[in-house]
Amino acid sequence: MASSSQRVVVTYAAPLVFLSTDHWKQIHSSLTSQLPLRNLHWKSPVRPTIRTIQELDVKFVPLETLREDQPTSQVPQSVLEKPLLNIYIFICEDSESYKASTRKQIKDWHASVSARKNQEWLLVHVVRPDQSVAQGRLFQMKTSVLDKVKADFNTDKKDSRCVQLVWSADKDNASIWADVVTKIKEGVLSAFDVALVQREEEVRRSEGQRQMPGWNFCTFFILKESVAGSLEGMNLHEEALQQYYELEATFFQVLREKNLSWFGPLITPSSSDDSAPLLSVAKKPYRDLILANTISVFDFRVYLLARQCTLLSKLGDLEEICQKTVSFLTAFARTLRDVEDTLPPFFVESWIYSSTLSVVDQCDEWARSLELGKTALASFNAAKGELIELARHQLDVLGVAAGHLPHKPPFSLALPANYEVNKQEQVKDASESISRTELATALVDKEAFFELYVNVTNRAIELYANGGRRKFALKLHGSLAALDVYANPDWHRGRLSSALQTYTSLPAHYSPHGWTSLEAFMLNRALDIHADTEKPKDREWIHILLHFLRAYVDDVGMDLLLSKEDSKAYVAQLVSALRAAADELDSDTPYPDHTALSVNIVEHNATLAETRDGSLLKVVVQNRLPCAVPADEVELQLAGRENSRISFTAKVSTLEPGRNELTLFCPSSSAGTYTLFSTQISIARLHFQWKHTKTPKQIKAGNMPALVYVPKDLKALDVRLKQPPLIELGTPSKIIVILSTGRNEVATAQVKLSAPSGIQFRYQETEMDDPPPIRKDDESVTFLDLKEDQTVVAAIPHSDASAYHYMRVNITVEYTTTAEPDVPRTLRLSRVVPTSLPVAINVEDFFRGTRLFTRFTLSTTSHQHVRVRSTHLLLQNETDGVKVTSCMAQKPSVVTITPAQPGRFLFQMDASRGQVRDALKLQISYRMLREEVESLIELAAAEVIAETPSLEHLRQDIVDKLVQALETDATWVELYGVTGELAVPGVNPGEGEMGVGLRRVLEILNKRRAPLSFGEWREIVIPVDVPQMHILAAARLQVLENPFSVDKSQKRTRPLYAGQPISALLTIQTSFHWAPPEDTKVESYIMRYDIEDLTQDWLVSGRKRGDFLAKDGETFSVPVTLIALHHGELGLPKIGVTALPLPGEHRMRSSVVPGCETHQVHGAEKVLVLPRGGRSTFVVNMGGANTNM
């Protein structure tokens, strides 16, 4: 309507003299620059929420240009047709001028505007900037004039309609106009509220009379539309749109009542109605037709939609415009179909086609002024794609009618119900009546039609792709492929390859979205085209066929096989051709996760093959196809620890429809619990594969992997690893490999070891005591011709592993037996071997002249107990005059080292008649308590099985149960350490063979035994360096009988008293016996002694500190005097002896100080100091009686 471009009108007036001045021009220009008004907050009395008007365009016009004496129109117009606010601007310098002239001018203006209905007024008093009065007077003048104006004209005390504008040179400053603009906003909103409430009251009154005679919907529509136009002019677009929604609802109510007397016919098509822009309101005089009650329902609905979409465009909701248009065109087209006989041929299709394209063009034009985000732009493109696809559907109808397209899917899907096939005469008439040129041409020109069809489809595909609607775009791709196939051969010759490529590629996009029906349809067409083109059944054909069979099974695709009636025979034919094509493949071709076949585990506990190494597993193969499937092999793969894999296989010929039970065999004897990793069915070189691994997210959600338990075969080939029985530090590290053949006669057994830590094994240096035929290379060691129940032991050197406490070793044994030379077997095991020493060693050395006392403290490096049988300190070379003596008892005994109790071993080396220069070796014979106990249990079990051979199959179970009982309760350790009795706690033997065997084993274990009577012991040889010391000093402080004693060795016999001077002799004997070989030629060192200062016990007099020259074997002595400071048993002061730096020798810019160790010879001696004795004299009066007493 016209009000869509209408603005709010505000009038202004001023004295004529003022209007002719430059000052007014400045004010007018500055006021205009404040427009449009911004941030108006509208609170309607009848609406609950506050609406913010971001911008409001205002038309500022002189009052005299508007005439109020014009006759009022009977047609309801917008409330914005007349001004909402009248402003009078004046300048008055003083009260006298106001009284003389200004007041009358304002009064005349006020009388004129006050008579106008629903209009507000405002007085603006301008204070000129060139007034030359004092500031105080100026302020007083302003207040005086303004007060008089308010008193004369401001009748409403609550709301002042007078405002003052303080004009300054800075006319562009927005703060100058702040008060004036605020008053303008208030006046505009106030007048609009009053006018709108009055108009809405008229609307409600009219709507309440709807059931009364004489009520006219078209008159009501114009009245209510005036409200929408008023709201639109105020930029309240949401409220205006709501008015049209209410009008639409009222129209539908009238339509349901079938009261259309106010309308013309349903449609009166003009020559251009089928191609006119849908959203244009200027193409017809819609309001005049509505007022005349002659508008058709078709024109009314189009006008209503156009007004709604115009308001939606101002709200920026372009996506909603597209969706409303699609809904309108689809729904109203069904109404037009009912009167299609009265319309020109294909009017509906041309109208929909032209309308959709015009709406897309109009929306694109509106979008240029908007800034759409990424998400909004994608949704907008998708909505436009729906419009273009709707236009494409009209081309389907026209193409089928004109004979350009076949009457079959996918083209026939767009045809309306009760469609007549023969429309050749209508096509001829339509080519003349349709006003849209390209459609008229396409009806008679096949090439033009195909070009138009492809262009429109590609446009829709592009919009869907930009909008993220991949599935819709893919569907349209399929229609293009159908066009390539079904078009006239003269046109599509050479395009079948393109159609085949399209039909082949589209299902991969449909499948993730579950469009199985469409997927099967496309693949069926691809197979037909492949056959028509006589292409070879190669790998590409196999993939097409497999995709089709999957879609066929998922969709139970009976109805989709459009080219065959007997689906079972058709699928059987395809499967037979699949077998032939698979035989021709030149390489393995995997196909993952096909739904036609599946492999499921029946029993999750595998069973042993008994007569040979390996295990059996029962599975079910489900064939969902209606025919048998030829196959060669079924394979199931399990995953264990450290990424180990074992495979169960079975040879097959065919898989019948439905359930097929099979038993798979695995030649590996790797025991343990495995998870289902993958399954595979092979047809020649075509492999159907399924992965069954679960992600952590699936496991957390409760989707647990399938588990399979493979029992241990005690008679199968086995490999164990352990540390060598003798470990000598400083020599290459080795690991012992023990291979047991079990029931097998092994032709070849290739052993490979690998460590995740990066340790390298040197197979070429493998050592064996009594080797069978063996083959060694850089990658493995291979044993040849091994007999049944034979055990071979090999020592394989490896790189340094001292950085690790334990070494994880993955073992791979590839072997063949003489009984089944064509069956390669692989045994994969993972073992953990300790690499660090079980004990930590701390060495302490004590020098005593030519003798050396060495104490070794052994402590366990783990929580396990270590049993030590013996320790020996060995000389590398027998040296004359050097003797090593152990301080342990001669009777054999086992020392148990625990985490809380280390073991200490002391050795004495006497080198009085020789020198020790080479390193020593500490030899420790030990074993772990756990190994000792397990060995004892193994021996007891072997003894019981020797008595009762029928218990052989329970050997491992008996051992495991007893070991587990010992692990859970450690109360047996103390008794076993003392007596050797192994009382296993918490074992309930139960009944049966297992109970009998357990009772007998427990009886044997409860007997006393010496630990040295069974089991193997290991040895550790550790090199020990001989300690070296430049100087050994034996210091002694000896108390003498008197200072003049000749025999210094004579002990003092007289008592010592506190405070008494005591003669003592300090002696220091030095020895260079343990000096390094490079310093043996040094004859003397300068040394310093220092007597300890015990101020609480002793007072030392004499040379407490001094230097002396030390030589090998000589003694330095000096007398001192001691005074005990109190009585009691007192230890003598200790003597500190240090070597002074060698004169003239420096290393690394530092003085060279010889090493020195001092032994306090008197360290354990104490002397008894008695209290000092004395005499006291007392005088007693023995005379006569004292009379004074």
Side-chain angles (χ1 to χ4, degrees):
M1 60 182 295
S3 62
S4 63
S5 60
Q6 195 167 19
R7 296 186 295 174
V8 173
V9 178
V10 176
T11 70
Y12 66 87
L16 295 177
V17 176
F18 180 49
L19 290 175
S20 62
T21 62
D22 292 337
H23 189 192
W24 162 249
K25 294 179 181 179
Q26 294 177 2
I27 292 176
H28 183 272
S29 175
S30 181
L31 176 57
T32 306
S33 67
Q34 304 303 314
L35 304 178
L37 300 177
R38 293 176 175 84
N39 296 326
L40 288 80
H41 303 290
W42 177 58
K43 177 63 174 72
S44 173
V46 296
R47 288 173 174 81
T49 59
I50 297 177
R51 294 290 185 182
T52 299
I53 303 173
Q54 300 295 338
E55 284 190 1
L56 182 62
D57 199 6
V58 176
K59 186 178 180 181
F60 201 48
V61 299
L63 178 63
E64 60 270 15
T65 60
L66 301 178
R67 297 179 59 185
E68 286 294 322
D69 55 352
Q70 293 179 351
T72 304
S73 173
Q74 296 300 319
V75 179
Q77 301 293 331
S78 166
V79 298
L80 304 183
E81 289 287 335
K82 296 182 178 181
L84 294 181
L85 179 65
N86 302 283
I87 303 176
Y88 189 82
I89 305 173
F90 66 96
I91 296 178
C92 186
E93 299 179 357
D94 52 31
S95 300
E96 289 74 13
S97 300
Y98 173 73
K99 292 179 182 180
S101 60
T102 305
R103 180 167 58 181
K104 184 178 183 304
Q105 295 170 352
I106 298 175
K107 190 174 182 180
D108 294 343
W109 172 84
H110 182 263
S112 173
V113 300
S114 298
R116 300 186 180 192
K117 190 177 180 181
N118 299 332
Q119 297 184 24
E120 289 288 342
W121 55 271
L122 177 65
L123 295 173
V124 180
H125 178 212
V126 180
V127 179
R128 296 184 303 178
D130 55 349
Q131 288 181 294
S132 56
V133 294
Q135 181 67 27
R137 179 61 182 162
L138 176 64
F139 185 79
Q140 185 179 355
M141 180 274 299
K142 292 178 185 176
T143 306
S144 177
V145 173
L146 188 61
D147 286 343
K148 289 182 178 296
V149 174
K150 290 181 179 180
D152 291 339
F153 299 99
N154 198 27
T155 57
D156 189 357
K157 303 300 182 181
K158 296 182 180 179
D159 186 15
S160 175
R161 300 187 183 186
C162 304
V163 65
Q164 196 169 62
L165 175 63
V166 181
W167 187 252
S168 67
D170 188 10
K171 59 181 180 299
D172 295 330
N173 190 351
S175 61
I176 298 175
W177 291 95
D179 294 339
V180 177
V181 171
T182 300
K183 288 297 181 181
I184 293 175
K185 292 179 182 178
E186 293 174 355
V188 168
L189 293 177
S190 176
F192 176 72
D193 279 342
V194 174
L196 185 65
V197 169
Q198 182 178 339
R199 183 61 57 85
E200 288 180 333
E201 181 61 31
E202 295 176 8
V203 172
R204 282 192 292 272
R205 186 164 53 250
S206 176
E207 189 175 12
Q209 299 172 355
R210 192 165 66 87
Q211 302 298 331
M212 298 177 65
W215 184 82
N216 190 306
F217 174 79
C218 292
T219 304
F220 171 75
F221 178 87
I222 295 298
L223 179 62
K224 191 171 180 65
E225 190 184 27
S226 69
V227 176
S230 303
L231 292 167
E232 183 181 2
M234 291 292 291
N235 287 345
L236 295 168
H237 301 128
E238 292 184 12
E239 284 72 15
L241 183 61
Q242 183 61 33
Q243 301 301 315
Y244 282 108
Y245 285 157
E246 293 174 2
L247 281 171
E248 188 177 28
T250 304
F251 171 77
F252 286 138
Q253 180 65 29
V254 171
L255 192 64
R256 283 193 294 271
E257 295 172 358
K258 299 183 178 179
N259 187 4
L260 299 177
S261 58
W262 308 290
F263 295 92
L266 176 65
I267 180 173
T268 306
S270 63
S271 60
S272 61
D273 274 352
D274 66 319
S275 60
L278 182 67
L279 301 184
S280 172
V281 295
K283 62 179 179 285
K284 287 185 179 182
Y286 289 108
R287 285 177 58 83
D288 294 339
L289 294 173
I290 294 173
L291 288 171
N293 292 339
T294 59
I295 190 169
S296 66
V297 175
F298 172 79
D299 289 333
F300 178 79
R301 292 294 308 278
V302 169
Y303 174 72
L304 189 60
L305 174 70
R307 292 296 303 130
Q308 291 174 344
C309 291
T310 301
L311 290 170
L312 285 170
S313 70
K314 294 181 178 181
L315 292 171
D317 197 351
L318 302 181
E319 180 185 0
E320 179 66 17
I321 294 174
C322 298
Q323 293 174 350
K324 283 186 70 66
T325 304
V326 170
S327 299
F328 169 73
L329 294 175
T330 305
F332 201 73
R334 289 193 292 267
T335 302
L336 294 179
R337 298 287 182 193
D338 296 336
V339 296
E340 192 172 12
D341 294 340
T342 65
L343 300 175
F346 303 111
F347 172 87
V348 177
E349 287 77 16
S350 178
W351 172 66
I352 295 176
Y353 178 86
S354 302
S355 297
T356 54
L357 297 183
S358 68
V359 171
V360 171
D361 294 339
Q362 182 64 62
C363 287
D364 286 338
E365 182 178 349
W366 283 332
R368 293 190 187 99
S369 60
L370 301 176
E371 293 183 2
L372 299 177
K374 184 177 180 181
T375 303
L377 183 60
S379 300
F380 177 45
N381 286 326
K384 290 192 296 181
E386 294 179 14
L387 282 169
I388 301 299
E389 185 181 8
L390 183 59
R392 215 294 306 276
H393 289 167
Q394 311 317 307
L395 293 180
D396 287 336
V397 177
L398 296 175
V400 173
H404 302 333
L405 298 175
H407 190 277
K408 58 176 63 177
F411 311 108
S412 61
L413 298 177
L415 297 179
N418 303 321
Y419 178 78
E420 296 181 5
V421 179
N422 189 7
K423 289 195 174 186
Q424 295 298 324
E425 295 183 359
Q426 295 184 9
V427 170
K428 183 178 179 181
D429 296 339
S431 64
E432 299 176 357
S433 62
I434 290 178
S435 60
R436 192 162 188 98
T437 307
E438 67 264 26
L439 284 184
T441 304
L443 282 174
V444 296
D445 188 342
K446 186 179 299 184
E447 293 291 337
F449 175 82
F450 289 151
E451 183 178 359
L452 180 62
Y453 191 94
V454 172
N455 290 338
V456 173
T457 305
N458 285 333
R459 187 178 179 186
I461 290 173
E462 181 181 3
L463 289 171
Y464 276 139
N466 293 335
R469 301 276 187 90
R470 293 181 62 253
K471 293 188 292 185
F472 293 88
L474 294 171
K475 182 179 66 173
L476 295 178
H477 275 295
S479 66
L480 289 180
L483 183 67
D484 291 340
V485 174
Y486 291 121
N488 192 303
D490 294 335
W491 181 80
H492 84 283
R493 185 176 293 114
R495 300 180 65 95
L496 284 179
S497 298
S498 175
L500 177 60
Q501 181 179 2
T502 302
Y503 278 129
T504 304
S505 60
L506 287 179
H509 301 284
Y510 296 144
S511 180
H513 307 292
W515 290 14
T516 53
S517 298
L518 189 57
E519 181 183 2
F521 173 79
M522 295 291 179
L523 291 166
N524 180 253
R525 299 284 77 78
L527 289 173
D528 290 344
I529 297 172
H530 197 283
D532 293 341
T533 55
E534 298 181 355
K535 288 191 173 184
K537 293 181 173 58
D538 53 6
R539 183 177 281 103
E540 178 184 358
W541 179 85
I542 290 176
H543 278 282
I544 297 174
L545 174 58
L546 293 178
H547 280 79
F548 168 74
L549 292 177
R550 182 176 63 183
Y552 172 85
V553 170
D554 293 342
D555 194 53
V556 193
M558 304 296 293
D559 298 333
L560 293 176
L561 298 177
L562 304 177
S563 58
K564 302 292 181 180
E565 295 181 359
D566 188 354
S567 62
K568 181 177 180 180
Y570 179 57
V571 173
Q573 178 184 353
L574 292 177
V575 172
S576 177
L578 174 65
R579 173 69 197 200
D583 290 334
E584 300 298 326
L585 289 174
D586 56 357
S587 62
D588 290 339
T589 302
Y591 190 93
D593 302 326
H594 203 286
T595 54
L597 301 172
S598 62
V599 182
N600 298 308
I601 300 174
V602 177
E603 296 181 2
H604 291 267
N605 290 328
T607 58
L608 296 178
E610 299 296 344
T611 59
R612 55 177 178 166
D613 287 5
S615 53
L616 305 174
L617 186 65
K618 293 184 178 181
V619 300
V620 168
V621 178
Q622 192 74 28
N623 179 9
R624 298 176 61 189
L625 293 174
C627 61
V629 176
D632 296 326
E633 185 181 61
V634 177
E635 180 181 359
L636 182 145
Q637 193 174 67
L638 304 179
R641 294 182 178 179
E642 302 294 333
N643 295 322
S644 61
R645 302 280 190 273
I646 60 174
S647 297
F648 289 79
T649 58
K651 300 294 183 181
V652 294
S653 58
T654 58
L655 298 173
E656 298 297 329
R659 184 183 176 92
N660 297 265
E661 294 187 2
L662 301 174
T663 300
L664 309 185
F665 172 69
C666 175
S668 174
S669 58
S670 301
T673 301
Y674 294 83
T675 60
L676 180 58
F677 181 75
S678 66
T679 52
Q680 176 176 292
I681 297 176
S682 299
I683 304 175
R685 307 194 74 168
L686 175 62
H687 306 291
F688 294 90
Q689 296 178 343
W690 298 268
K691 295 292 184 182
H692 302 277
T693 55
K694 305 297 181 183
T695 63
K697 186 176 181 180
Q698 289 176 317
I699 295 175
K700 188 176 181 180
N703 189 4
M704 305 302 293
L707 300 179
V708 176
Y709 174 70
V710 179
K712 184 176 180 58
D713 189 351
L714 299 178
K715 296 182 179 181
L717 183 140
D718 191 22
V719 175
R720 291 179 293 125
L721 301 180
K722 68 176 185 178
Q723 286 182 307
L726 173 61
I727 300 176
E728 184 173 356
L729 299 187
T731 60
S733 302
K734 298 178 182 178
I735 190 170
I736 301 299
V737 178
I738 304 173
L739 186 145
S740 302
T741 60
R743 65 166 70 86
N744 305 287
E745 290 187 359
V746 178
T748 61
Q750 184 184 47
V751 179
K752 296 181 182 179
L753 307 179
S754 64
S757 56
I759 296 172
Q760 301 297 319
F761 296 90
R762 297 190 284 270
Y763 302 100
Q764 295 282 12
E765 303 174 18
T766 301
E767 300 176 358
M768 299 181 65
D769 293 336
D770 186 15
I774 189 173
R775 185 169 59 242
K776 297 181 286 186
D777 55 38
D778 294 335
E779 301 295 331
S780 63
V781 58
T782 303
F783 303 96
L784 307 174
D785 299 332
L786 300 179
K787 303 302 182 182
E788 182 179 353
D789 291 327
Q790 182 178 354
T791 300
V792 294
V793 180
I796 302 178
H798 60 81
S799 58
D800 182 40
S802 60
Y804 308 98
H805 294 288
Y806 292 91
M807 176 174 60
R808 179 177 293 277
V809 181
N810 296 324
I811 309 169
T812 302
V813 184
E814 297 178 358
Y815 66 101
T816 57
T817 63
T818 56
E820 296 176 300
D822 297 332
V823 179
R825 285 178 163 82
T826 302
L827 174 65
R828 291 184 175 87
L829 303 171
S830 181
R831 297 285 187 260
V832 176
V833 181
T835 56
S836 62
L837 297 180
V839 292
I841 303 174
N842 184 38
V843 183
E844 296 177 277
D845 295 315
F846 306 94
F847 294 97
R848 295 296 182 267
T850 59
R851 291 178 298 169
L852 173 66
F853 293 90
T854 301
R855 181 172 65 187
F856 296 94
T857 302
L858 305 184
S859 56
T860 178
T861 56
S862 64
H863 64 282
Q864 296 192 38
H865 295 192
V866 181
R867 305 271 278 177
V868 178
R869 180 178 65 173
S870 62
T871 57
H872 300 281
L873 189 60
L874 307 176
L875 295 170
Q876 287 195 10
N877 299 313
E878 294 295 333
T879 305
D880 295 337
V882 178
K883 182 179 180 182
V884 178
T885 306
S886 173
C887 298
M888 289 188 62
Q890 295 299 320
K891 182 180 179 181
S893 62
V894 175
V895 178
T896 303
I897 299 175
T898 68
Q901 181 180 355
R904 294 179 175 85
F905 304 90
L906 184 64
F907 296 91
Q908 173 189 288
M909 182 189 305
D910 189 352
S912 58
R913 294 194 298 267
Q915 290 287 339
V916 181
R917 298 303 181 189
D918 296 330
L920 308 178
K921 291 185 178 181
L922 177 65
Q923 185 184 54
I924 304 172
S925 178
Y926 77 99
R927 65 185 175 195
M928 310 302 294
L929 178 61
R930 179 188 179 93
E931 296 175 352
E932 179 178 316
V933 172
E934 289 180 354
S935 174
L936 179 58
I937 294 174
E938 292 277 2
L939 291 175
E943 183 177 343
V944 172
I945 290 172
E947 298 172 356
T948 311
S950 61
L951 298 177
E952 173 65 32
H953 67 285
L954 296 175
R955 176 202 293 262
Q956 193 62 41
D957 292 337
I958 293 174
V959 173
D960 291 343
K961 186 168 186 177
L962 294 176
V963 171
Q964 184 179 4
L966 296 177
E967 289 175 344
T968 55
D969 190 348
T971 55
W972 56 273
V973 175
E974 185 175 357
L975 177 63
Y976 179 78
V978 176
T979 65
E981 300 176 34
L982 185 57
V984 183
V987 176
N988 183 14
E991 302 297 331
E993 289 185 334
M994 184 74 171
V996 173
L998 279 174
R999 289 189 186 90
R1000 180 57 183 145
V1001 171
L1002 290 175
E1003 291 177 4
I1004 297 174
L1005 294 178
N1006 283 330
K1007 297 179 180 179
R1008 291 195 177 191
R1009 64 185 53 78
L1012 300 177
S1013 61
F1014 65 92
E1016 298 178 355
W1017 294 85
R1018 302 183 189 175
E1019 288 188 358
I1020 301 176
V1021 177
I1022 303 173
V1024 179
D1025 293 331
V1026 177
Q1028 297 175 347
M1029 189 62 62
H1030 289 87
I1031 308 167
L1032 299 180
R1036 182 179 183 185
L1037 189 61
Q1038 180 181 4
V1039 177
L1040 302 178
E1041 185 74 21
N1042 56 68
F1044 310 104
S1045 297
V1046 178
D1047 187 2
K1048 305 300 182 182
S1049 61
Q1050 182 181 0
K1051 293 185 178 180
R1052 183 182 178 94
T1053 58
R1054 290 184 296 175
L1056 303 178
Y1057 296 94
Q1060 173 188 357
I1062 303 173
S1063 298
L1065 181 64
L1066 169 63
T1067 60
I1068 301 174
Q1069 184 178 5
T1070 56
S1071 172
F1072 303 163
H1073 184 79
W1074 300 97
E1078 63 272 14
D1079 294 331
T1080 54
K1081 296 182 178 180
V1082 179
E1083 296 181 354
S1084 62
Y1085 295 98
I1086 299 176
M1087 305 189 68
R1088 175 173 295 168
Y1089 72 90
D1090 188 1
I1091 302 177
E1092 183 183 13
D1093 193 6
L1094 298 177
T1095 56
Q1096 298 296 326
D1097 297 333
W1098 297 97
L1099 182 63
V1100 181
S1101 176
R1103 291 180 60 188
K1104 296 174 57 177
R1105 179 185 297 116
D1107 298 343
F1108 64 96
L1109 186 66
K1111 295 184 178 180
D1112 186 20
E1114 294 189 358
T1115 302
F1116 167 77
S1117 62
V1118 58
V1120 294
T1121 301
L1122 303 176
I1123 299 176
L1125 300 180
H1126 61 84
H1127 64 276
E1129 278 192 334
L1130 305 180
L1132 295 175
K1134 292 182 172 52
I1135 313 300
V1137 181
T1138 57
L1140 298 181
L1142 297 177
E1145 291 192 22
H1146 294 81
R1147 295 177 185 172
M1148 301 296 291
R1149 298 184 180 180
S1150 299
S1151 300
V1152 178
V1153 180
C1156 177
E1157 183 174 307
T1158 303
H1159 164 53
Q1160 305 291 330
V1161 178
H1162 61 283
E1165 296 181 6
K1166 289 189 177 182
V1167 295
L1168 179 62
V1169 178
L1170 302 178
R1172 183 181 179 91
R1175 181 176 61 182
S1176 299
T1177 303
F1178 297 92
V1179 179
V1180 181
N1181 186 4
M1182 302 299 291
N1186 191 346
T1187 58
N1188 295 328
M1189 294 181 65

